[in-house]
Amino acid sequence: NIEIQKLKNSNNLILLPVWKGKNLFDSSIGSMRGINLSEAINLNLLDQEFVFLGFKKNHPYFSININEDDLSAKFKNFGEFKSLHSIINIIPFSDASILAYARGMYIWHSNNLFCGKCGQKTHSEDAGHLRVCEKKECSTKFFPRIDPAIITLVEHPDGKRCLLGRQSNWPLGMYSVVAGFLEIGESLEECVVREVMEETGIKVENVIYQGSQPWPFPSSLMLGFVAKALTSDFSPSDDELEEILWVTREDLKGYGEMNDGLIGKKLPNNYSIARQLIEQWRGKELK
């Protein structure tokens, strides 16, 4: 804690404010907006709760949770608070990763202000990476959590089509691959088989891991897979998807990009593992 306090008072500190799950963004140069030590002093931020994120180019990075509307108004001359989803396509990947980290920690802290065991207040320790119940008899410790989720591209038995679907609450025209959360006592491969069956009625085999992606919206880790369908008729057991379809590689040429302003079917954003799986299948580059 002494070392962290020294870092908080260092001249090369970079502070990343988060307000209502939104990050501070400098639209004039198209990048995240960090607050330096002198600016933090002028904004009276040094008595706020800091979360240590790490170092970048010898700069210690901290996030700070802005929970008061009147305090957030002080930042209007420094930038604009925007959702990460709305700016992630126009900022460098390294910046997006740091902002996602800051946002994820903000949400974790906001959701753990009270002890889930006894109901008493909790306080932050270990530079923002631990919350402890203030009731001495309890003293339960809470650590940042990660929710593992699978995301799977399902290939048709003929190898010429893949499965896409859409949820009713998604942006207009967006289609993606099957995804779902891991349940207790379940392997990742078992989760793939279950989720695909529940959402589409398709039986799959040959579940093969492809890669992963942090997805802090708010606290997921997406684990990408490809699976081979044994059946092709849809018979979902839930109402997760409002539409399911098989598409060819030729069909995918007619799909637009998210935020392109055009009417029609669209694919997930390029930064998402869902899009990566689709593009790998389109290029026949699956593992």
Side-chain angles (χ1 to χ4, degrees):
N1 286 336
I2 295 176
E3 291 301 319
I4 293 297
Q5 188 61 44
K6 289 181 180 179
L7 292 176
K8 285 173 60 176
N9 294 320
S10 63
N11 290 325
N12 61 345
L13 163 147
I14 301 294
L15 189 60
L16 300 177
V18 184
W19 174 65
K20 292 185 176 180
K22 298 180 179 181
N23 299 98
L24 190 62
F25 178 70
D26 189 339
S27 55
S28 63
I29 59 175
S31 71
M32 66 180 183
R33 176 60 160 94
I35 303 297
N36 61 38
L37 181 62
S38 62
E39 292 170 333
I41 293 173
N42 292 335
L43 290 167
N44 297 318
L45 296 179
L46 295 185
D47 59 344
Q48 300 292 312
E49 187 174 283
F50 283 41
V51 177
F52 180 56
L53 302 177
F55 290 92
K56 180 182 179 182
K57 296 181 179 179
N58 295 321
H59 289 275
Y61 275 69
F62 291 85
S63 64
I64 182 172
N65 299 342
I66 307 300
N67 295 314
E68 304 168 17
D69 289 348
D70 57 341
L71 183 58
S72 70
K74 295 181 178 181
F75 291 90
K76 62 182 179 180
N77 295 326
F78 295 89
E80 181 180 359
F81 284 101
K82 291 187 176 183
S83 70
L84 186 56
H85 270 306
S86 69
I87 62 172
I88 200 166
N89 278 331
I90 60 174
I91 61 176
F93 180 78
S94 59
D95 286 358
S97 297
I98 296 173
L99 293 178
Y101 189 10
R103 181 185 184 277
M105 293 301 291
Y106 166 87
I107 293 174
W108 175 72
H109 277 280
S110 300
N111 290 342
N112 290 274
L113 297 176
F114 296 89
C115 176
K117 186 175 181 180
C118 74
Q120 294 296 313
K121 287 185 177 181
T122 62
H123 65 268
S124 176
E125 292 186 6
D126 286 356
H129 292 262
L130 170 68
R131 295 195 71 88
V132 181
C133 178
E134 294 182 352
K135 185 177 180 180
K136 186 176 181 180
E137 296 81 3
C138 181
S139 299
T140 300
K141 295 180 179 181
F142 298 91
F143 297 89
R145 61 173 292 171
I146 298 295
D147 301 314
I150 60 90
I151 185 162
T152 308
L153 183 135
V154 178
E155 187 176 59
H156 192 276
D158 64 13
K160 298 179 181 179
R161 289 171 282 178
C162 75
L163 187 150
L164 295 183
R166 68 165 275 108
Q167 295 182 14
S168 60
N169 61 336
W170 285 354
L172 184 64
M174 177 180 165
Y175 289 77
S176 189
V177 294
V178 175
F181 286 101
L182 186 72
E183 294 187 354
I184 293 175
E186 186 176 53
S187 72
L188 292 169
E189 292 79 6
E190 289 170 337
C191 182
V192 169
V193 173
R194 175 184 57 78
E195 283 288 348
V196 174
M197 173 59 72
E198 289 178 355
E199 295 188 13
T200 69
I202 299 295
K203 296 181 180 180
V204 298
E205 64 175 359
N206 295 341
V207 179
I208 302 174
Y209 176 71
Q210 301 293 304
S212 65
Q213 180 180 46
W215 196 255
F217 299 102
S219 58
S220 298
L221 173 67
M222 303 301 292
L223 299 146
F225 292 86
V226 60
K228 189 75 171 183
L230 293 171
T231 59
S232 59
D233 294 332
F234 303 132
S235 57
S237 59
D238 60 25
D239 57 357
E240 184 84 11
L241 301 176
E242 68 171 7
E243 187 178 359
I244 314 166
L245 42 120
W246 292 109
V247 298
T248 66
R249 291 176 173 86
E250 186 65 27
D251 292 334
L252 288 174
K253 294 179 181 179
Y255 282 62
E257 302 288 335
M258 289 302 300
N259 305 317
D260 62 9
L262 301 177
I263 297 175
K265 295 177 179 177
K266 304 174 187 294
L267 295 176
N269 282 313
N270 289 318
Y271 64 81
S272 69
I273 191 170
R275 181 61 176 273
Q276 294 167 22
L277 290 170
I278 293 170
E279 294 301 334
Q280 287 172 9
W281 179 81
R282 188 188 338 217
K284 301 181 180 181
E285 298 172 354
L286 293 168
K287 296 179 184 176

